[in-house]
Amino acid sequence: MAYCAGELSQISEKEAFITDLNGISVGIFLINGKVYAVRNACPHKLAPICEGTVCGTMIPSRPSEFVFGLEGKVLKCPWHGWEFSLETGEALFGISNRKVKTYPAEVKGGMIYIEMG
């Protein structure tokens, strides 16, 4: 079932618009023109993950080489710093097999719809 989460104009780039949809707290993000929806609960300790930052991270590289990447594609938990893919919800770099719940999101007529079926 798709739920109307509000107007696209309510969302600031890289900052979560947190709303309640069918009794579930969901953070909606606008990153480079694309909308993402994430359940506002970190699978590690149930922190309000959508209050964390959208950023990049250090990516695997050769010894003594430091490579920053994935800018705008990482959601970082505000409590313990766990990092998850904003697109898939997967924990980055094998720290856990737990995932943040993500939902398909689309914009129609300036309104944001989240599929929570």
Side-chain angles (χ1 to χ4, degrees):
M1 174 177 278
Y3 293 88
C4 182
E7 295 181 31
L8 183 61
S9 63
Q10 293 176 278
I11 301 179
S12 300
E13 185 80 16
K14 291 191 179 180
E15 288 186 28
F17 171 74
I18 299 173
T19 188
D20 185 275
L21 297 176
N22 197 32
I24 297 171
S25 180
V26 175
I28 302 167
F29 296 88
L30 176 63
I31 311 296
N32 298 322
K34 184 164 171 52
V35 176
Y36 300 91
V38 178
R39 185 173 190 163
N40 192 20
C42 180
H44 174 229
K45 295 286 183 180
L46 300 179
I49 194 163
C50 295
E51 293 177 13
T53 57
V54 173
C55 55
T57 191
M58 300 305 289
I59 59 176
S61 57
R62 297 187 324 216
S64 299
E65 183 177 86
F66 300 98
V67 179
F68 186 81
L70 302 175
E71 182 63 44
K73 296 183 178 184
V74 177
L75 180 57
K76 187 172 187 175
C77 181
W79 286 7
H80 300 108
W82 282 34
E83 296 175 328
F84 297 87
S85 166
L86 193 56
E87 294 177 337
T88 67
E90 293 178 12
L92 297 183
F93 313 120
I95 63 166
S96 174
N97 62 354
R98 296 185 227 170
K99 295 173 67 172
V100 169
K101 176 69 177 158
T102 60
Y103 304 99
E106 65 178 327
V107 178
K108 292 181 186 174
M111 302 300 287
I112 302 165
Y113 294 91
I114 309 300
E115 183 65 42
M116 298 179 69

